[in-house]
Amino acid sequence: MTYLRTTDRLTRHDGRRMASGGFEIEYIETRHTAHGPETVVVWSRPSLPGDFPEDQIPY
């Protein structure tokens, strides 16, 4: 699985691009900080045949 984290401030166009790329919203999390709530959207999609395994990505 491939996971991406984005803010909740995506445009409609960006959301459609993510969906057309095979991504679905996995979950939405909100953290309460001193500056106010921060919302993160986590997207996922199944691995594709040409994808690198996550253990081979140097980060």
Side-chain angles (χ1 to χ4, degrees):
M1 295 287 275
T2 301
Y3 293 95
L4 287 176
R5 299 170 69 88
T6 63
T7 66
D8 63 338
R9 297 185 183 125
L10 289 179
T11 63
R12 185 179 302 163
H13 175 74
D14 291 335
R16 288 182 182 156
R17 259 185 27 211
M18 295 286 287
S20 69
F23 285 91
E24 295 179 354
I25 294 175
E26 186 76 21
Y27 59 91
I28 299 172
E29 63 184 33
T30 301
R31 293 185 217 133
H32 300 281
T33 65
H35 300 13
E38 293 179 358
T39 302
V40 174
V41 180
V42 178
W43 300 75
S44 68
R45 76 169 162 92
S47 296
L48 299 176
D51 286 350
F52 290 103
E54 287 189 27
D55 61 347
Q56 293 183 3
I57 299 174
Y59 58 86

